[in-house]
Each structure stands twice: as structure tokens, then as C-alpha cells.
Amino acid sequence: MRDRFTVVGRATGCHLFEGDGTRPVDEENIHVKYTPKRVQFPEEIAAWRRSIETEEERKEAGGLPHRWNNARFAVERVVVTRTHLAEDPVVSLTLRDADYFDFLTTSLNLDRRQKNGLTLRQQYLEGSDPADAPSWMNCSFGINVALETGKDGKMLFSRRSAQVAGPNSARWNSSANEGLAQQHDLPRDGSPVSLHAVARRALFEELAVHDGDNTQVELLGFGLDVINHQWAAFFRAVTPELDEPTLRLRWTRGVTDKWEHDRFEFVDARPESVLGFIADEPEERWTPCAPALFYLALVRGAVERAGGNPAARFAVERAEQRVMAERGL
């Protein structure tokens, strides 16, 4: 029902819902509406959730590794429009209450058959437009950030640790990734959720990039992981005062969520190098949406270097063609 982003000859598991990298989505044009009303599972699916909760409580009581629950958000809808004159993108994101066990209930059971004989994937994702799936199927919204170190011109790739739950463990992913969480991202003063603030939280918690580092953060678009059914926002972040040695030194001194990654690779931020790294790592070692994120970041960088000319995106396409030709792809 939705096309898949393709790069270096590979069709990924990511549908690019909005954005092409040539221009960011202005922060003032992102409207997040939150309704404090919990998602409601069908009776059969609710029983699956109770089983997950019981099992995790059992493991916790026994002192075993377990998943802990926390309040999250479910996506009710994502609507994209344009401003009247400049036709800049405007995004409306509607959220409601969910938690981590709600997310596990669907994400771990997309291919489990219901009593009606259909899997969740067959009934809600393949049988109709996955972007219109009911909110209880959308209990994950991830902020994905591609980080460039401005001082030495490197792009950072992070591999998720095998300790991280879910289908993306032990795979190359965005530089930093955070799911929207009520405890951290729902302002106490009643103001709207800020996706840019979540992106900065992801940079701090996973990479020790602080507000004082003067990081430039831009929202480039939105994607939908059609394999695992997870919504994603794509950000590019540039740290003009940081380089690889500085960040690696910081990590030795402690990172809030250090356990989430087990390997980092800094690659020259030129399109040939970044796309070459993507091509040289086997397809199965990538999360579905990471290649799309880094491609958009490359396009944005090319457009900036060209003084804002959106046609600079084709320089990235030409680099991709060279990478493929060199590798016989």
C-alpha cells in the first residue's frame, strides 16, 4: 500500500511519508495535539498485553532481566498540508496515551494469528493503508537523528546494542534514537510536545551532546517503518565545535544511556563515503529507516553547500550511482 525508500539498489522497509531533504520543516509549522485518553485494544489483543505484563512482572520478581513499563504515546493520525503562499510543509501530529507494554503487544505480535485467522499485519497493514491503522497499532513514535561533527566533517553511525528489546537490536541505526515518552517529553506547563526538544534529548542521553555545544537541529521529514510498523521523525544535527576524538573521549566518561549502543562508526560526511558505508554493510544489518534518514541528511548538506539550491539533491544521486558502479550493484 505504501512505496519503499530505495538506496544503493536496495528497497528498504521505510516509507518516506514527508520530506525530501531539500528543506527542513520549520518548528513553528509542527502542531502536536495530545489527548489524555488511553488506547483501547480489542478484547483478544488486550489478553496478549496482560500476558506480557504478567511475564515481565514474574521476571522482575525473580531478579531476572526484564522490560520495564513507562508511559508513552500512541499516534492517532499524522496530517501533512502546506502553507498558503510559500507552500512550506505543515505537519499535524495527534497523540493519545499508551505505554511500553502496549507497544510490545503489537510489535512482538504482528505476525501472530488472531481467532479470525488473520495476523495483525494482514488485517491492519496489508489489507488497508498502514498510515491509517488504528491508534492502538501505533504505540511508538521515534525521533531519529543523523549527527554530523562540523569540526572534522564526519557522519556518525550507531549500532544498537543486543540488550535493546525489539527487532532492531544489533543493527546499524541513526546516530541517536528516542521514543516519545510522557515522563520526559510532555511539558508540565501544558505546552505542546516539542519534537525538536526530543531530538536534543536523544543527542544528550545517547551521545553526550549538550545544549552548550551549539548544535544545529533540523527536522527533515517523517517516515513509516512498514516492517515493524513504527512512525519516525527524521532530524539532521550538526555540531560545529565537536569532532570524533572529543565525542569518544566524552563517552569514556559516561553517557546517560550508554547501554543502548555497542559500536560507533564515524564516516566522512561526503555522499560517496556515507553511501559507500551503507552499501558495504549487509542489508540485514540495517534498521528499516536508518538509510533513508542518512540519505536525507546528505541531501540537506548538499543543498546548504549550494546556497539553498534544491537541485543540489542530484549531486547525491550522482554519488550514489558512482558507489553502485564501483561495487557492481
Side-chain angles (χ1 to χ4, degrees), residues 12-13 157-175 177 225 227-228 230 260-264 277 281-291 294:
T12 70
F157 293 87
S158 301
R159 190 176 70 179
R160 289 179 68 78
S161 169
Q163 301 179 44
V164 178
N168 291 330
S169 63
R171 293 187 178 189
W172 287 109
N173 196 27
S174 51
S175 311
N177 170 272
D225 176 347
I227 304 298
N228 305 303
Q230 298 180 33
E260 292 199 19
H261 302 112
D262 61 13
R263 183 179 168 190
F264 298 99
F277 182 82
E281 288 291 323
E283 186 174 356
E284 64 273 12
R285 293 183 185 173
W286 289 97
T287 62
C289 286
F294 287 109

